[in-house]
Amino acid sequence: MPISFDTSGFRQLDQNNWQHPSGDQAELTYYGVDPDLPAGLDDLQRLRHHLALIHGETGCLIEAHVVQLGGVPALLRIVKMPLPNQPNGQGFVCSFTIPKANCSAVLQLGAMERGMTGTREAILAAEIGFQNWIKPHPYAPELQGVLPFHAGDDPRHDARFPDHPLSRARAWAHHVVRTAQVDPQFASLPPFQVQPPPPVAPGQTLVTALPSLPVKDFVGLQIGEETTFWRMTDPKLREMLGRGLMGRSPLAETRFRDMLMIDPETGEAMIPDRFTTNGEMTAHGTRLTQVTLHQADAELSDEDVLDAFRWAGQMCGEAAERGEYLSLEPIENQGGQADPHVLLAVQPHEGQPMAIAQFSPAPTEGPLAGSPSRSAPATRESVVGIGLIAGMAVNEWRSHPLRMAITYQRPAG
């Protein structure tokens, strides 16, 4: 692996994972694809701003710095997020990313609150004063994230709370900076640089397209009143779909869908980022190849279709972390909510998060017949499962999955 680090005190679980007696877990991962950082390490202000917005969707970016690991520039970031499927508590992830032109290496530590939670925050909030507790995010003052940026996460307080997971994560980060080494061959690879959006060629016209549920390498695009079908030739669109990262097209006051810009003649497309910095829009280039629905369907197996609905369930879980839920509905439906559709959500019920699928209309055939909804305590398996349940409803509607789209929805008010 490209990074070597001191594992003293850790027990190795497998080739890439180590666990500390405290429960903290270190992981080392190599990614053989273009890094997904929103800016280069040489543009720290822009990088911090974008990362604050991205991590604000699921938690809060506490800090981000460019440091040296064995003489190689790396991005250090510390992020906090709510513990999944828990009413209280937070997890803290400290990561080092070394981006290269076509790959990256990431070393990270996950440290979770256990037992009684919130002690550090309660003591410090009483001392600092609740009126001075919440602060504007230093990298993105306009941000209203899932978790607040507050005075209690200041590193000056770590010495008083050495067993707190944030203190442990920072202590580990300082040790890694002092001791880690990088493989010389990896260090010599071409550096990562953010590629500007491809220019629009003279005479080229890009139009707005709203994507369908992706199935294997295929995606449907609603362009105006027409639904067309395309093969994705690289992983970029699939990596961004459904995760709240792409630019959005509003359908109604609280309904939104991912959008991209495409030249239907050539398949050249740009995927705009959802967030901007100082009014500047960034985008990612990709190329799609048009196919017929029959051609796409001939290459899809039943397992490919099941994987697509499992993915929809996973995206529902990610949407819940942003305070949203999803509607799986016909792609041509671009206004207010209409039948048929399945609402997929993870919502609290009597103090417990529940994974919910609501059908409209209720299925009349098969194991879901007569049931307007299905729910279960939210776990990784049940959240994926509601996507599969949605697929059963889509099958009853006799609709092809490439004709279905995910719409983000927010509670009114």
Side-chain angles (χ1 to χ4, degrees):
M1 293 295 284
I3 306 173
S4 59
F5 67 105
D6 183 10
T7 61
S8 300
F10 285 80
R11 176 173 62 92
Q12 188 161 9
L13 302 178
D14 56 36
Q15 184 178 358
N16 300 320
N17 289 273
W18 296 260
Q19 189 169 49
H20 193 268
S22 64
D24 299 348
Q25 188 160 322
E27 180 180 14
L28 181 57
T29 309
Y30 171 80
Y31 296 96
V33 296
D34 293 349
D36 61 355
L37 295 178
L41 301 189
D42 58 347
D43 191 354
L44 184 57
Q45 180 178 359
R46 182 183 182 90
L47 182 59
R48 282 172 162 172
H49 185 272
H50 276 288
L51 290 175
L53 296 178
I54 291 170
H55 291 298
E57 292 276 355
T58 55
C60 179
L61 175 68
I62 297 175
E63 56 188 274
H65 312 279
V66 175
V67 299
Q68 299 288 319
L69 290 188
V72 180
L75 169 66
L76 163 64
R77 52 184 146 173
I78 299 178
V79 177
K80 62 180 176 180
M81 61 197 71
L83 290 177
N85 304 322
Q86 299 290 332
N88 300 299
Q90 296 179 143
F92 297 83
V93 176
C94 172
S95 65
F96 294 89
T97 302
I98 302 180
K100 293 297 182 178
N102 303 112
C103 60
S104 61
V106 179
L107 172 63
Q108 69 176 31
L109 179 84
M112 309 298 144
E113 284 190 308
R114 303 178 191 279
M116 183 177 295
T117 63
T119 302
R120 170 176 172 153
E121 291 77 8
I123 293 173
L124 291 175
E127 295 176 355
I128 295 170
F130 294 100
Q131 70 279 9
N132 300 316
W133 184 249
I134 305 298
K135 296 179 174 294
H137 201 289
Y139 306 154
E142 76 280 14
L143 175 63
Q144 297 292 323
V146 169
L147 291 179
F149 185 90
H150 61 64
D153 292 333
D154 193 296
R156 292 176 296 179
H157 305 304
D158 289 354
R160 286 182 61 190
F161 304 91
D163 295 328
H164 189 273
L166 176 56
S167 304
R168 299 198 305 265
R170 280 205 183 97
W172 179 80
H174 292 316
H175 184 67
V176 169
V177 169
R178 293 194 301 268
T179 61
Q181 296 296 320
V182 179
D183 179 80
Q185 186 174 358
F186 181 80
S188 66
L189 293 175
F192 166 69
Q193 293 182 331
V194 175
Q195 298 299 319
V200 178
Q204 185 179 37
T205 301
L206 299 182
V207 297
T208 300
L210 307 186
S212 75
L213 185 76
V215 186
K216 195 180 178 182
D217 297 328
F218 299 97
V219 67
L221 294 181
Q222 186 74 15
I223 303 175
E225 300 297 319
E226 183 182 9
T227 305
T228 54
F229 304 95
W230 302 77
R231 185 193 301 274
M232 296 176 279
T233 63
D234 62 64
K236 194 62 187 180
L237 179 57
R238 183 61 186 261
E239 290 172 353
M240 297 184 69
L241 276 171
R243 292 178 167 82
L245 302 176
M246 294 174 58
R248 292 185 171 188
S249 177
L251 304 184
E253 185 176 359
T254 60
R255 286 167 44 81
F256 307 86
R257 200 171 287 170
D258 285 332
M259 57 85 70
L260 54 86
M261 307 296 293
I262 188 169
D263 180 346
E265 297 297 323
T266 65
E268 295 285 348
M270 290 195 297
I271 310 168
D273 284 319
R274 182 178 170 193
F275 303 107
T276 62
T277 299
N278 299 325
E280 292 185 35
M281 175 68 74
T282 57
H284 310 270
T286 190
R287 179 188 289 274
L288 307 177
T289 303
Q290 190 165 9
V291 297
T292 65
L293 182 58
H294 178 75
Q295 289 171 327
D297 191 63
E299 296 188 35
L300 298 178
S301 67
D302 290 345
E303 191 62 28
D304 293 329
V305 174
L306 291 175
D307 282 343
F309 288 109
R310 291 187 185 102
W311 175 86
Q314 292 170 350
M315 295 306 100
C316 170
E318 294 192 16
E321 295 176 350
R322 302 190 299 269
E324 299 178 325
Y325 56 96
L326 303 181
S327 174
L328 190 62
E329 57 191 36
I331 192 172
E332 64 269 14
N333 178 14
Q334 297 188 52
Q337 188 73 79
D339 291 343
H341 68 268
V342 184
L343 294 181
L344 302 177
V346 178
Q347 296 178 333
H349 178 70
E350 298 181 350
Q352 181 179 22
M354 300 291 291
I356 304 167
Q358 295 181 343
F359 317 105
S360 183
T364 59
E365 301 176 4
L368 302 177
S371 174
S373 66
R374 288 293 177 92
S375 63
T379 64
R380 179 178 299 179
E381 292 75 17
S382 67
V383 171
V384 170
I386 62 171
L388 292 173
I389 289 173
M392 296 169 65
V394 171
N395 184 62
E396 180 175 326
W397 300 336
R398 306 294 189 265
S399 182
H400 197 283
L402 287 173
R403 292 189 178 275
M404 304 300 295
I406 281 179
T407 299
Y408 307 105
Q409 304 214 55
R410 297 175 185 161

